[in-house]
Amino acid sequence: MTPLNNHFYVAIMAGGIGSRFWPYSRTDYPKQFLDILNTGKTLLQWTYERFTQFIPAENIYVVTHHQYASTVSKQLPNLPQENVVSEPSRKNTAPCVAYISHKIHKKDPKASMICAPADHLIMDPTQFTQTCLNALLFAQKNNALLTLGIKPTRPDTGYGYIQFETEQAADNVYKVKTFTEKPNLELAKTFLKSGDFLWNAGIFVWNTKSILQAFANHLPEMDELFVQENAALNSPKEREMIEMIYSQCTNISIDYGIMEKADNVYVIPANFGWSDLGTWASAYENLEKDYLGNAVQGKNVMVIDATKCMVKAPNDKLVVLQGLDDFILVDTPDVLLVCKKENEQQIKEYVAEVKRHKGEKYL
């Protein structure tokens, strides 16, 4: 076991609303706080535990929407209260990263950090630990913005892709050539064949000096807001200051705002049994199936002549399913979703339609 490094930090990003897992994931209780795979722990709890294996507990932060701060504290009772960092509004990942990077850098100018989503599945935590430590050690010594790339196993259109140089910059570290947002199927097949593309896992590693320099270069207006109010960070005035800053921040992702523009971006190809658990189909992939290929969660579900379905229902409700092939069926007390698995990327659009026609009651 590697000794814990006091200059290594983690920011777990836990502010999203998980709309593609609707209707199980709701605005007031999104997927990171749910036990999606019936493991006995929520996705946030698993993520936190993974990082405690190699990061000092006091160096782990959770950045979330203020609406969820008390939920984070309940689910992670060992996390110091001051390490629950709450955002006043959802402005995508760039303001979130700017906030926590300035905050940690002020506390420890020698800090190197991982920024990771709260809701990913990692099947091989030992390999994950090793990859993260390699990334942190590289980031500590170099002016580099690192991302972890997953070796693709299929031409998936739901992920972003990273193309990398063939020559190593260091042991298993490669310079990034291009980022591509979710491609169509033909392009995804081409990427898979070429061998120099990886899935973008959305897990980032850098030293705080490098990422703050990148904000100054590529999102200077946003960076200036934090620089001007730096004195209030880690003080009683922080909350008031952050509300003011966020009201002026652009809504932009760290990928668009920084990673796709910077010229010091590197990737570590990794294979630690990763899924972003972004959709019901990804949950289906990771759940046990019956002999007809159905993944069923719910003690009173009866399946008759149905195949390859993802079914989630309350334990006390009898659900009889007949004749469906390759469907998602999610039953909650007030919403029933029945959707073809191939159309699951559109669930976000269905949620928008529900909001338009039915208001926010069912969100």
Side-chain angles (χ1 to χ4, degrees):
M1 180 74 189
T2 311
L4 302 181
N5 185 317
N6 287 329
H7 294 300
F8 288 168
Y9 293 78
V10 168
I12 299 170
M13 298 179 284
I17 55 174
S19 58
R20 285 181 298 172
F21 265 102
W22 184 84
Y24 185 49
S25 174
R26 302 292 180 96
T27 305
D28 60 353
Y29 216 84
K31 69 167 179 170
Q32 59 268 31
F33 307 120
L34 300 170
D35 179 5
I36 295 278
L37 298 178
N38 279 0
T39 60
K41 288 179 189 161
T42 68
L43 297 176
L44 174 65
Q45 288 168 330
W46 278 118
T47 303
Y48 175 75
E49 282 187 23
R50 265 197 304 278
F51 285 122
T52 58
Q53 301 308 301
F54 62 99
I55 299 288
E58 65 274 16
N59 288 7
I60 299 175
Y61 290 79
V62 176
V63 188
T64 191
H65 188 262
H66 69 78
Q67 179 182 0
Y68 309 137
S70 61
T71 306
V72 170
S73 296
K74 271 188 205 130
Q75 293 202 355
L76 304 176
N78 296 329
L79 184 73
Q81 191 58 46
E82 62 271 20
N83 288 23
V84 181
V85 178
S86 59
E87 299 180 281
S89 55
R90 291 185 185 87
K91 290 289 183 85
N92 217 317
T93 49
C96 165
V97 171
Y99 179 12
I100 193 61
S101 301
H102 274 283
K103 189 173 169 65
I104 290 172
H105 186 74
K106 188 173 182 190
K107 176 187 169 187
D108 179 3
K110 292 182 179 172
S112 296
M113 63 188 287
I114 299 169
C115 283
D119 50 9
H120 287 184
L121 176 70
I122 308 288
M123 300 297 281
D124 187 344
T126 306
Q127 187 62 42
F128 178 74
T129 296
Q130 199 50 58
T131 303
C132 286
L133 285 170
N134 290 348
L136 283 162
L137 289 166
F138 183 80
Q140 194 174 41
K141 298 186 182 94
N142 296 279
N143 176 23
L145 309 178
L146 274 162
T147 183
L148 304 188
I150 307 300
K151 291 167 187 171
T153 54
R154 59 185 183 277
D156 200 300
T157 58
Y159 296 142
Y161 285 73
I162 300 166
Q163 186 184 25
F164 60 97
E165 305 274 6
T166 48
E167 201 177 313
Q168 293 190 123
D171 186 30
N172 201 34
V173 179
Y174 299 83
K175 192 96 190 277
V176 169
K177 275 164 88 170
T178 61
F179 284 92
T180 305
E181 281 303 303
K182 299 169 185 177
N184 62 34
L185 188 59
E186 285 312 304
L187 199 52
K189 284 178 180 170
T190 309
F191 289 170
L192 199 65
K193 275 189 196 140
S194 76
D196 60 350
F197 281 84
L198 302 164
W199 286 335
N200 185 357
I203 300 170
F204 306 108
V205 188
W206 40 57
N207 66 58
T208 51
K209 190 178 172 189
S210 294
I211 189 61
L212 294 181
Q213 185 58 55
F215 270 98
N217 293 346
H218 304 293
L219 289 172
E221 298 89 350
M222 188 181 293
D223 186 58
E224 190 57 33
L225 291 169
F226 286 94
V227 170
Q228 282 174 351
E229 301 296 336
N230 192 264
L233 281 170
N234 304 331
S235 85
K237 291 182 179 170
E238 181 174 322
R239 178 92 189 241
E240 186 186 335
M241 175 270 281
I242 287 300
E243 293 215 1
M244 185 271 291
I245 287 178
Y246 266 64
S247 69
Q248 299 174 63
C249 274
T250 322
N251 185 328
I252 189 169
S253 72
I254 193 74
D255 299 78
Y256 281 131
I258 304 280
M259 302 302 279
E260 292 181 18
K261 295 176 186 169
D263 58 6
N264 58 332
V265 180
Y266 295 82
V267 66
I268 293 184
N271 197 354
F272 38 69
W274 172 88
S275 167
D276 77 339
L277 276 187
T279 60
W280 282 113
S282 60
Y284 171 85
E285 294 294 331
N286 290 288
L287 286 164
E288 277 186 42
K289 327 266 190 310
D290 66 15
Y291 72 103
L292 291 170
N294 299 297
V296 177
Q297 291 185 314
K299 289 181 178 169
N300 279 307
V301 178
M302 293 174 63
V303 178
I304 303 159
D305 302 331
T307 54
K308 295 182 288 189
C309 288
M310 169 71 229
V311 186
K312 184 161 186 69
N315 287 332
D316 58 354
K317 188 162 188 179
L318 174 63
V319 174
V320 181
L321 183 65
Q322 190 277 330
L324 290 184
D325 175 52
D326 222 25
F327 267 76
I328 296 162
L329 187 148
V330 183
D331 192 19
T332 69
D334 59 342
V335 177
L336 170 65
L337 171 74
V338 182
C339 168
K340 279 188 175 174
K341 222 191 283 159
E342 65 189 44
N343 295 334
E344 60 147 15
Q345 293 288 343
Q346 293 166 27
I347 288 178
K348 256 186 159 172
E349 295 165 30
Y350 306 153
V351 172
E353 281 294 301
V354 169
K355 185 175 182 178
R356 198 171 298 126
H357 294 289
K358 301 288 180 185
E360 301 202 354
K361 180 183 174 184
Y362 298 104
L363 305 187

